[in-house]
Amino acid sequence: QVQLVESGGGLVQAGGSLRLSCAAAGRTFSHYAMGWFRQAPGKEREFVATISRSGAFTYYADSVKGRFAISRDNAKSAVYLQMNSLKPEDTAVYYCATPDRASYSAPRYENEYGYWGQGTQVTVSS
């Protein structure tokens, strides 16, 4: 059974940085893309960033491009989200996710992901 556990969330002032981590277990981590999504209060969950199985391909939502960086360590079965220049509108619960199927792509749509973590809260104060 695939398990994803996020950590690293917290409260930070606007302009600050946080690094989220997601530890994966239950299958061969290096065969699957990984993604980060977020859900703000009263809003639908949205795509943040994705990384292909090798790390060769990454994609970002326009709202975080240039501020956030996704990376992975296949030896540690972990994916990270470095968040810089945080804004109050980045406040949300951040979820780590991985697709059901192995591929070489980096999916950007929520329905392409079958496994989700429990989420970690990020709050950015103004």
Side-chain angles (χ1 to χ4, degrees):
Q1 184 177 357
V2 177
Q3 293 182 324
L4 301 173
V5 180
E6 301 97 335
S7 60
L11 174 63
V12 64
Q13 288 188 334
S17 298
L18 280 176
R19 188 190 192 214
L20 304 183
S21 299
C22 173
R27 62 183 188 184
T28 306
F29 181 77
S30 61
H31 290 183
Y32 299 88
M34 298 295 297
W36 286 97
F37 291 75
R38 67 186 182 186
Q39 186 168 21
K43 295 187 177 181
E44 294 188 351
R45 189 156 56 187
E46 64 176 3
F47 167 76
V48 175
T50 180
I51 187 167
S52 61
R53 58 192 278 176
S54 68
F57 303 107
T58 58
Y59 297 102
Y60 298 91
D62 288 343
S63 59
V64 306
K65 203 172 294 182
R67 299 188 298 121
F68 290 11
I70 188 171
S71 62
R72 65 189 295 158
D73 186 336
N74 285 345
K76 295 183 178 179
S77 296
V79 63
Y80 309 99
L81 186 68
Q82 178 66 44
M83 306 185 295
N84 300 326
S85 302
L86 282 161
K87 306 175 181 179
E89 50 264 44
D90 294 318
T91 295
V93 177
Y94 283 71
Y95 297 91
C96 169
T98 189
D100 293 328
R101 299 184 298 174
S103 74
Y104 292 96
S105 66
R108 280 165 279 185
Y109 300 101
E110 188 172 338
N111 61 7
E112 296 179 276
Y113 288 82
Y115 297 99
W116 297 81
Q118 83 289 349
T120 186
Q121 177 70 46
V122 171
T123 303
V124 184
S125 62
S126 57

